[in-house]
Structures are given as C-alpha cells and as structure tokens.
Amino acid sequence: NAGVTQTPKFQVLKTGQSMTLQCAQDMNHEYMSWYRQDPGMGLRLIHYSVGAGITDQGEVPNGYNVSRSTTEDFPLRLLSAAPSQTSVYFCASSYASGTGDTQYFGPGTRLTVL
Amino acid sequence: KQEVTQIPAALSVPEGENLVLNCSFTDSAIYNLQWFRQDPGKGLTSLLLIQSSQREQTSGRLNASLDKSSGRSTLYIAASQPGDSATYLCAANRGYALNFGKGTSLLVTP
C-alpha cells in the first residue's frame, strides 16, 4: 500500500491564483480530512469527509473548497489564494469516523503564496 | 473547544536517558489520544494510540499513558537515542477531528 499520497510536494502561487492540492489513499478508508500546520499554531482542521459525497467544515474552512466523488480521493481547492494561506497542508485518513480510529497522514504540501 | 497543551516545548537530553513528554487536554469526552512523531520537513508518523477505555499502550521503548479524568497523557521514552530526535505531537480525538498540541521538540545528543 502506498498509504496517503499528496501532490505536489511544493507549490508557489501568486495572490489571487487558484489551485488544487491532491490527496489520495489506497486503504479503503471512509474518513479523510485536511489540516494546515503553521508555526506557533499547531495543526488545524480545514475540512473533512466521512464518505463519498459527504463533506463538512472544520475549524478553519474559509478560502477552501472540497469535494469527495470517490472513496480514494479528497482534493482541496484554493479558489483565490491569499498570503495568509501560506502553510504546510496535510491530508489524513482513517477507516471510519466516530470510532476514534488511528489516523494516517500524508507527507504534506508546502504552499507559499506571494 | 478542546485545548491541548504540551510541556515542555523543547527538551535536550544526553543519549541513554529516560524521558517523559506531557500532554494535557481540557475536554475529557474523547475517543482516544494519539501520539505522533514529526521529523523536520516531513509528515506525521503515528506512534501510539490509546483508546479512552485504556490506561496505557506500549511499543518498543515507547510507553504512553492516559488519565481521562484528569485530562492528561504522558509519553515515556526509555533509553533515548539520537535517532529519537524529532518533534512529538499529541492529539485528542473527538471522532471527526484531531485537536493537536503544539508539540515537544526533542534533541538527543550523543
């Protein structure tokens, strides 16, 4: 199993540009989520999904969109990038939500918005 | 809102020492508590997961304990090695989200 994969590893955007961060898992996990990690702030939940077709907002959802058309993929979209979105983004997955399963994290995408 | 605090923020020890990392959380209504390791520029690696009904979990030189009633967890590392140098994060699981502490940065010197 490849586990949780994320692309790209690094990205530089200009303010106002859009892009999609890709996340995929091959473990047949129902639950997937996106976190951002900022110095001094720790990791914070952006959006999550409990299964295909079902998504919900986390702690810091503004400026981000998600969709879940398949069990394997959970892309994160930035519609109009802002410097405040400069961060490291991690995707995570687990077998199910609501039961407290172990969550597995991808390697991260380091995003810089100029 | 769940607040998770890790003490100390940084720790430097000589190789071979036993050490304890602390994690506290404000809301005891959690499913489990998970400890992660993060190396610089890398993702998170799960070390141990303690379910809310458990008191401790062990993996090799690592032992994690959980006291839900007092809102505390500890990660004990025995006979530390330079390869243990990393940032250690604890996260309280409420089912749909992990609430993370800011981590303890550990340096083990030869």
Side-chain angles (χ1 to χ4, degrees):
Chain A
N1 285 351
V4 180
T5 58
Q6 291 183 240
T7 56
K9 285 187 170 49
F10 301 93
Q11 183 70 49
V12 179
L13 292 178
K14 295 181 180 178
T15 296
Q17 287 185 317
S18 63
M19 79 159 295
T20 299
L21 308 185
Q22 301 291 345
C23 174
Q25 51 87 14
D26 62 358
M27 297 175 281
N28 201 31
H29 285 171
E30 289 295 323
Y31 178 82
M32 298 183 73
S33 56
W34 279 100
Y35 290 83
R36 58 178 289 173
Q37 184 176 35
D38 302 293
M41 299 293 291
L43 282 95
R44 293 177 292 169
L45 181 67
I46 305 171
H47 284 286
Y48 66 96
S49 168
V50 298
I54 306 170
T55 64
D56 207 344
Q57 297 180 350
E59 182 184 355
V60 288
N62 292 341
Y64 307 95
N65 278 357
V66 292
S67 61
R68 183 99 178 268
S69 56
T70 67
T71 299
E72 294 78 20
D73 301 297
F74 190 42
L76 179 71
R77 297 183 186 85
L78 284 70
L79 299 179
S80 179
S84 61
Q85 293 178 304
T86 293
S87 186
V88 182
Y89 291 85
F90 290 102
C91 179
S93 75
S94 66
Y95 181 70
S97 67
T99 59
D101 291 312
T102 298
Q103 294 206 25
Y104 298 91
F105 281 75
T109 293
R110 190 174 297 271
L111 176 67
T112 301
V113 183
L114 303 175
Chain B
K1 181 179 182 292
Q2 178 78 276
E3 301 286 343
V4 180
T5 303
Q6 291 188 246
I7 295 173
L11 182 63
S12 180
V13 300
E15 181 177 8
E17 276 204 3
N18 302 325
L19 56 100
V20 175
L21 308 182
N22 296 293
C23 172
S24 61
F25 48 95
T26 55
D27 185 350
S28 62
I30 62 172
Y31 284 96
N32 62 46
L33 191 127
Q34 199 165 351
W35 282 92
F36 294 89
R37 169 185 172 136
Q38 185 174 29
D39 293 287
K42 303 293 185 183
L44 281 69
T45 301
S46 180
L47 297 173
L48 288 166
L49 180 146
I50 314 174
Q51 298 292 356
S52 62
S53 59
Q54 297 175 321
R55 298 284 293 182
E56 64 178 72
Q57 280 288 327
T58 298
S59 176
R61 294 182 294 109
L62 305 180
N63 175 275
S65 67
L66 175 64
D67 185 342
K68 247 184 57 166
S69 60
S70 68
R72 295 184 180 183
S73 178
T74 60
L75 179 66
Y76 175 83
I77 302 177
S80 59
Q81 303 171 357
D84 295 330
S85 298
T87 296
Y88 291 81
L89 299 165
C90 69
N93 190 332
R94 291 181 293 154
Y96 70 89
L98 293 177
N99 292 110
F100 282 87
K102 295 179 181 177
T104 293
S105 179
L106 173 65
L107 177 64
V108 181
T109 55

